[in-house]
Amino acid sequence: MQDHELRPAQLTRRHLLGGMGIAGLSLMSPPASAQETVDLHVPGGPSTRMITTSYPQKGRMILQRSSPPWLETPFEVFDRACSPRTTSTMSAGTGRIFRATSMWIAFVWRCAAKSIRSFRCRSRIFCRGLPRVDIAAVNQCAGNSRIYAVPRVAGAQWADGSMSNAIWTGVRLKDVLDHAGVKPGAIQVRFGGLDEPVLPDAPKFLKSLTIDHARDGEVMIAFAMNGEQLPLLNGFPLRLVVPGWCGVYWVKMLNDIEVLDQPDTNYWTTTGYRVPDTPHNTVKPGETGFKLVPVTRNAPRSFTTNIRNGESVPVATPASARGIAFGGDCGVARVDLSIDDGQSWQPTELGADQGTYGFRQWQTQFTLPARGAHTLMVRCTNTKNEAQPGFRIWNPAGYLFNTIETTHVVAA
């Protein structure tokens, strides 16, 4: 694997700045031009976006915002997302993986000791003598598909491309903590990166996990993605990988790990990224008085990737449907397709299992019996027997959308 050519133990401030190079300079301003546009065809607000190829180590991406850069993967990329090794969602190396951040980048590499219960991420702490591991996992922004909220809500108006699937290479966080020596009484582990707030008075972005979760053997510190060094925009030189949980916990440019003996009270733990404590985290627009809880685990999702809204499908002739699914915080048990707006369902054939937390391809044949409009629906059920709901999920922040996906076609 290519990632073995650059050992994390060799990462220094010089490597960091060298890895950024011109790429770092290009982040200081928006792309000079983005002439191509795409219409996402979503009612309720603006849905036209620019297409850009101006960002370092990135291919053709949907530009949601330039400062900080929010880059969305075009949905057609996911139709090639069969194997983490061949896709970067996975579909085109690492160059088509979405990028989102609430912060900007500080060009520093801090390595000083902080306190008796904390340590900075010196690569030599965890790389020498620790086993390297690989895991296939979906990284999905909590606000993926927010643009489909009815009515629209504030926040990045992501369509379905604020997610990716990759093979991550690194070391287990458990091994790092054990090597550093965690004292009795620890209850949480808090993580910070090199990125800094856009506004001077904004809180530093920090996220925490319980000590048991941090030491579950699956949470890892990654230094490579799909066999290549992490790109700058996807977390170079190190990032936290929390399989099955929303991307907000996957701290990029990781350089601070702090073990806490008191509950974390920072803004991003106590206030930011919260959803209603209701079934499927959904409420009615305008409803108030509900309890809020932090976003945590992903929910099951599935998508049809080879048929788009409004396309024509031959009538009375077998047609192929295929797509991708993931189970959220567990595996995919089955994916079902409906060709009659959810009145009946047929099982699909699942592709190779790339791992509990990765994409699972599905495919099937179907026949539309009559000419005219039809609605295709795809539904994932995970190994916990949790299925995507048929009703439209809504909450004020637009988080954790996993309503059954529908595709409107015409049989001709």
Side-chain angles (χ1 to χ4, degrees):
M1 291 180 63
Q2 289 178 295
D3 57 281
H4 296 168
E5 298 173 6
L6 177 62
R7 296 180 175 84
Q10 297 172 331
L11 288 173
T12 65
R13 186 174 184 272
R14 179 176 297 176
H15 280 106
L16 176 66
L17 298 178
M20 288 178 171
I22 296 175
L25 296 177
S26 68
L27 288 172
M28 301 305 292
S29 60
S33 62
Q35 300 174 351
E36 184 184 357
T37 63
V38 60
D39 190 345
L40 302 175
H41 300 289
V42 181
S47 64
T48 299
R49 301 287 185 272
M50 291 182 177
I51 297 293
T52 181
T53 57
S54 300
Y55 283 90
Q57 301 173 288
K58 289 296 171 188
R60 182 177 175 272
M61 302 289 286
I62 298 172
L63 180 63
Q64 290 281 0
R65 190 176 75 176
S66 60
S67 181
W70 289 350
L71 306 176
E72 177 170 351
T73 303
F75 196 77
E76 63 268 17
V77 171
F78 292 94
D79 195 41
R80 303 189 294 275
C82 305
S83 165
R85 291 291 187 189
T86 59
T87 62
S88 136
T89 283
M90 295 171 176
S91 18
T94 60
R96 305 296 292 278
I97 285 183
F98 86 98
R99 197 272 182 184
T101 185
S102 300
M103 303 289 155
W104 197 234
I105 295 171
F107 299 98
V108 295
W109 181 243
R110 294 172 295 197
C111 295
K114 186 176 182 182
S115 72
I116 195 169
R117 289 190 178 275
S118 71
F119 55 90
R120 300 282 176 168
C121 266
R122 298 191 192 114
S123 55
R124 66 175 178 269
I125 290 178
F126 59 85
C127 291
R128 291 177 179 170
L130 296 183
R132 281 180 286 193
V133 295
D134 294 326
I135 189 168
V138 172
N139 178 17
Q140 178 184 233
C141 177
N144 194 29
S145 310
R146 181 185 282 121
I147 196 171
Y148 302 115
V150 180
R152 292 272 190 100
V153 298
Q157 297 300 294
W158 300 110
D160 293 328
S162 184
M163 61 179 181
S164 64
N165 185 38
I167 290 182
W168 307 92
T169 300
V171 295
R172 298 181 185 91
L173 179 60
K174 178 183 185 298
D175 293 339
V176 176
L177 295 174
D178 289 349
H179 188 76
V182 176
K183 295 184 178 181
I187 62 172
Q188 284 183 305
V189 184
R190 184 165 64 189
F191 308 90
L194 293 171
D195 45 351
E196 297 291 348
V198 178
L199 301 176
D201 295 330
K204 167 74 175 176
F205 184 78
L206 303 166
K207 289 299 289 184
S208 297
L209 300 174
T210 66
I211 187 68
D212 289 340
H213 190 179
R215 300 186 72 256
D216 68 0
E218 292 186 323
V219 178
M220 70 184 299
I221 297 172
F223 51 81
M225 178 172 67
N226 292 347
E228 300 175 359
Q229 177 179 278
L230 284 173
L232 171 62
L233 289 176
N234 293 108
F236 175 87
L238 303 168
R239 83 173 300 167
L240 192 69
V241 171
V242 188
W245 276 39
C246 295
V248 66
Y249 290 89
W250 296 42
V251 175
K252 294 185 288 291
M253 295 169 282
L254 180 68
N255 86 313
D256 188 68
I257 301 175
E258 186 177 3
V259 179
L260 306 176
D261 58 2
Q262 298 291 330
D264 186 8
T265 58
N266 93 85
Y267 171 86
W268 298 105
T269 295
T270 61
T271 305
Y273 287 91
R274 302 179 86 76
V275 290
D277 187 16
T278 60
H280 300 283
N281 308 114
T282 193
V283 295
K284 295 179 180 179
E287 184 178 345
T288 59
F290 46 82
K291 179 184 176 182
L292 293 174
V293 294
V295 301
T296 53
R297 66 189 187 94
N298 288 319
R301 300 202 69 178
S302 56
F303 303 86
T304 301
T305 58
N306 70 317
I307 304 172
R308 305 298 291 160
N309 265 320
E311 289 187 354
S312 294
V313 177
V315 67
T317 302
S320 296
R322 64 176 178 267
I324 53 174
F326 60 96
D329 67 339
C330 59
V332 173
R334 67 179 187 272
V335 176
D336 300 306
L337 178 74
S338 173
I339 63 173
D340 54 13
D341 200 18
Q343 297 181 53
S344 63
W345 296 85
Q346 65 183 63
T348 70
E349 179 184 352
L350 294 179
D353 187 349
Q354 302 289 342
T356 299
Y357 304 106
F359 281 158
R360 191 87 181 266
Q361 191 182 38
W362 62 266
Q363 61 182 353
T364 192
Q365 297 277 313
F366 68 96
T367 302
L368 297 180
R371 296 181 184 276
H374 295 265
T375 300
L376 309 182
M377 305 177 73
V378 62
R379 179 184 66 195
C380 174
T381 302
N382 66 21
T383 53
K384 294 181 179 179
N385 204 34
E386 298 169 335
Q388 293 178 256
F391 56 84
R392 183 168 290 275
I393 289 175
W394 191 94
N395 57 65
Y399 291 143
L400 304 181
F401 184 91
N402 78 320
T403 298
I404 289 173
E405 299 292 330
T406 62
T407 305
H408 301 287
V409 298
V410 176

